[in-house]
Amino acid sequence: MSARRWAVALGLLALALPFVLEGNRFLAFVYSIVMIHLIWANGMNLLYGYVGLMPLMFAGVAGVAAYAMIYLTRSHEWSFWLAAPMASLGASLFGVLLGLPSLRLTGFYFTLCSLVIQTVITLAFVFFPTFTNGDTGINQIAPPQAPWGGALSGVWMDETLAIVAVLSVLLCGWIVSTRLGKRFMAIREDDVLAEVLGIDVVRDRIIAFFIVSMFASIGGCLFAVTIGFISPRSFDVLTSLNIWLFVAFGGRGTLIGPIIGTIVLAPIPYLLQELQGFKDVLSGVLIIVVTLLMPGGVWGELLRWRDRRRARRALAVGQT
Amino acid sequence: MSLLQVNGLVRRFGGVVALRDVELTMEAGETLGMIGPNGSGKTTFVNIVSGHLASDAGTMLFDGESITGASPHQLAARGLTRTYQAVRVFSGLSVARNIETASLLRRDARAGAGAGAGRADGATVDELAEWLRLDRLMGKPAGSLTLFEQRRLELLMRLAQRPRLIMLDEPVGGLALTEVREMIELLAQLKARCSLFVIEHTMRVIRELADRVVVLMAGEKIADGAPDEVLRDKRVVEQYLGTVHA
């Protein structure tokens, strides 16, 4: 089967699964969590995998959008379908503004700077209870309105998440194939050389960061209405690191890698609910294993192994 | 009007003066060589002109327009580009992708056909690849090429942008003797396509390529003229060549 057919089959499967899992509320819930994290992982992959920056304030931006969306729907009685895009736009612009100084930095320095920004955002969530209800968090977040009236819930909520997740994969694939995506990869490989070849590195990083913040924000709004409860802990640095791990584990800079990473890792905390301590240990161990043993991630290492085998074969053919 | 005009360029690193009031003009079509001992400020000069480093004083004009404080990507759009002493390609990407990336910004695509007239003779990327003998390496990762192949790829990536001036920082550095010979031949052919500014320690490169030579010594220009004259100049021989060719 060609890659395109595989992609179509996978997409259709993702859209069909909510109906298959309808009978089992627990599995359906886990599935919806995976879909939200898939949106996030695609955003993270765009910046970490294709531009080469590791944004640890990712969850923070998602949180700003989620809180803004709740504020707009509760205090101004906006519809979710208007509030979520507007809140996402606002949070993304806010994220770009905060990130502006750091976007001149590269690699490790950017990561450190983003960690500081994430910490500040988390503190802001705690210290501005007017909007966030502080550490207590906000519960009973109303689900979005259904087009046919009433609240969107159950299988149709899950289907909405699946649609947005599939769209996020398609969008990511499309961006990567454009001239902008090629500039991103040039910046990832060598930002100094990219600049000499006429690429406005800082401008392109800002564009990338804005797009990525939109992925984070929309995921954040959907997360809030799916779970029905958010607190500053929902959007702390561990959340950012988790999403980063999905991308790094699956294979950064590939379209399939983050999908693999999310499907394998996102359900773990929910499937191991009785072993709460264990899941943090597992995350830690996985981060070490990925960094030391599979820098390319599962999919990246697989591709590398295939290339090596091909090269060996070509060599063998050449020798005979 | 000169292609490049640099006036009173000064750069200090802490207490060290790396460049002291350097003046330099370069005409279109000219190949200018810059020589001088290690630490005399040659690379600093290129870093400043190509927008990698800010100067402490001085002005720069490219084609009559001020480029003081311009960033490298703005200079690339105007047709001023450079290579590095240590070869620099996107080693993780294939040769074809490297060239494609360089072609994302093609000056004539933005400025209209008129801007390219009289310089780049309309050679396509395919022709350039054949000329630089890279056409069979397109699918390989750039990092797996030999140094000489990477140097040629570097040149091709610059030429794909149809530049007006390429600043080459030690183009034959690290190459084997036979490769140096070939590189000089390639650069000699390149002179017909665009203006070159060459930093070199290998006198053969300067002697065979340069129309004019500038000598830097401890951040100061001590000689400027035809290669024959400059390479015989008493000060240059005593302070630089004498020590190298002893």
Side-chain angles (χ1 to χ4, degrees):
Chain A
M1 235 177 0
S2 73
R4 187 171 286 267
R5 282 200 184 155
W6 269 106
V8 172
L10 259 178
L12 288 177
L13 181 68
L15 295 177
L17 267 175
F19 298 101
V20 178
L21 299 174
E22 199 184 350
N24 188 331
R25 267 330 287 163
F26 176 68
L27 279 185
F29 173 74
V30 171
Y31 185 73
S32 63
I33 291 295
V34 170
M35 288 299 109
I36 291 168
H37 281 85
L38 194 54
I39 300 167
W40 277 337
N42 271 304
M44 177 65 87
N45 185 37
L46 208 54
L47 204 62
Y48 179 63
Y50 288 99
V51 186
L53 295 175
M54 180 179 171
L56 286 181
M57 75 277 243
F58 191 87
V61 174
V64 171
Y67 281 119
M69 181 274 296
I70 293 168
Y71 175 76
L72 288 174
T73 48
R74 286 199 170 171
S75 304
H76 295 272
E77 296 185 345
W78 285 26
S79 144
F80 171 83
W81 304 108
L82 180 63
M86 294 312 280
S88 298
L89 195 66
S92 302
L93 290 174
F94 175 72
V96 168
L97 207 67
L98 277 184
L100 223 43
S102 65
L103 286 166
R104 295 192 164 272
L105 305 175
T106 311
F108 179 68
Y109 301 98
F110 173 84
T111 307
L112 257 188
C113 205
S114 73
L115 177 63
V116 171
I117 295 172
Q118 170 70 56
T119 312
V120 170
I121 294 179
T122 305
L123 286 175
F125 289 157
V126 178
F127 286 111
F128 291 101
T130 330
F131 298 104
T132 64
N133 203 22
D135 263 329
T136 323
I138 297 175
N139 57 16
Q140 289 180 322
I141 298 165
Q145 301 82 348
W148 48 85
L152 194 64
S153 63
V155 65
W156 288 107
M157 184 69 218
D158 298 345
E159 185 62 16
T160 308
L161 296 175
I163 291 171
V164 179
V166 168
L167 283 179
S168 79
V169 177
L170 291 177
L171 187 64
C172 200
W174 177 71
I175 290 172
V176 168
S177 73
T178 60
R179 289 164 72 93
L180 182 67
K182 284 174 183 143
R183 297 208 299 267
F184 286 170
M185 282 178 259
I187 293 171
R188 174 191 70 193
E189 292 295 315
D190 186 337
D191 55 333
V192 175
L193 180 55
E195 178 93 26
V196 165
L197 294 175
I199 295 172
D200 190 340
V201 172
V202 173
R203 189 200 62 185
D204 281 357
R205 278 202 187 127
I206 291 172
I207 293 173
F209 193 74
F210 177 78
I211 299 172
V212 169
S213 298
M214 283 302 281
F215 276 81
S217 300
I218 288 173
C221 292
L222 290 171
F223 178 85
V225 291
T226 304
I227 307 277
F229 166 76
I230 59 169
S231 74
R233 274 217 61 180
S234 317
F235 304 109
D236 64 4
V237 68
L238 287 178
T239 313
S240 295
L241 267 174
N242 245 334
I243 299 164
W244 170 80
L245 181 61
F246 298 166
V247 175
F249 175 82
R252 63 173 155 155
T254 65
L255 286 176
I256 301 177
I259 301 177
I260 297 174
T262 309
I263 291 175
V264 173
L265 298 181
I268 288 178
Y270 299 91
L271 299 178
L272 297 179
Q273 220 141 35
E274 284 92 62
L275 301 161
Q276 273 304 324
F278 179 72
K279 81 168 206 250
D280 290 340
V281 175
L282 189 70
S283 294
V285 169
L286 272 176
I287 288 176
I288 295 170
V289 167
V290 165
T291 328
L292 290 182
L293 300 180
M294 354 179 270
V298 172
W299 188 250
E301 296 297 327
L302 212 69
L303 289 180
R304 204 187 297 180
W305 174 76
R306 191 197 63 184
D307 288 347
R308 266 206 303 267
R309 211 180 53 165
R310 268 190 197 162
R312 261 206 307 276
R313 266 194 200 154
L315 208 65
V317 168
Q319 278 166 347
T320 50
Chain B
M1 187 166 42
S2 306
L3 181 64
L4 180 67
Q5 194 173 344
V6 177
N7 296 315
L9 204 63
V10 177
R11 172 73 203 200
R12 297 180 205 91
F13 292 108
V16 182
V17 183
L19 292 174
R20 199 187 301 264
D21 271 332
V22 176
E23 308 272 332
L24 186 139
T25 53
M26 204 181 151
E27 303 304 321
E30 190 179 29
T31 295
L32 185 70
M34 182 178 260
I35 59 175
N38 288 327
S40 58
K42 304 183 299 293
T43 297
T44 304
F45 180 82
V46 171
N47 281 343
I48 291 175
V49 174
S50 64
H52 286 60
L53 209 63
S55 59
D56 291 317
T59 57
M60 296 175 286
L61 296 178
F62 184 66
D63 204 19
E65 286 175 58
S66 170
I67 53 163
T68 316
S71 59
H73 73 265
Q74 289 166 334
L75 293 171
R78 290 187 181 198
L80 193 164
T81 186
R82 67 170 295 183
T83 62
Y84 294 88
Q85 205 167 335
V87 76
R88 204 155 193 164
V89 293
F90 299 118
S91 42
L93 303 180
S94 71
V95 172
R97 276 298 299 277
N98 267 272
I99 297 167
E100 195 191 344
T101 305
S103 312
L104 286 175
L105 180 111
R106 199 183 259 152
R107 273 167 19 82
D108 58 348
R110 309 207 317 185
R119 285 180 301 275
D121 43 342
T124 65
V125 168
D126 292 342
E127 286 163 4
L128 289 170
E130 213 183 308
W131 173 56
L132 292 165
R133 289 183 292 112
L134 290 165
D135 45 336
R136 286 164 195 278
L137 303 170
M138 285 296 172
K140 279 193 162 190
S144 71
L145 303 185
T146 66
L147 177 66
F148 188 33
E149 286 164 346
Q150 290 190 18
R151 286 259 184 234
R152 275 157 25 212
L153 175 58
E154 230 178 13
L155 271 186
L156 174 50
M157 285 164 74
R158 299 309 184 281
L159 290 173
Q161 302 197 318
R162 314 250 162 108
R164 310 182 59 190
L165 170 61
I166 307 183
M167 304 185 94
L168 301 157
D169 195 347
E170 301 201 12
V172 303
L175 297 185
L177 273 175
T178 51
E179 294 170 343
V180 170
R181 178 75 264 153
E182 273 185 71
M183 194 61 164
I184 292 176
E185 268 165 34
L186 287 174
L187 292 177
Q189 292 166 24
L190 190 61
K191 283 176 67 169
R193 290 177 196 268
C194 73
S195 311
L196 298 177
F197 178 104
V198 188
I199 293 183
E200 254 309 333
H201 279 295
T202 316
M203 281 312 133
R204 216 166 98 206
V205 175
I206 297 294
R207 225 177 261 130
E208 294 185 28
L209 288 177
D211 303 318
R212 195 154 60 87
V213 177
V214 168
V215 186
L216 275 194
M217 193 79 75
E220 269 181 282
K221 191 168 90 167
I222 62 161
D224 184 343
D228 295 346
E229 294 167 30
V230 169
L231 297 181
R232 272 201 304 266
D233 185 300
K234 210 176 155 219
R235 263 180 92 191
V236 176
V237 173
E238 272 174 13
Q239 297 191 26
Y240 176 45
L241 295 179
T243 58
V244 172
H245 291 274

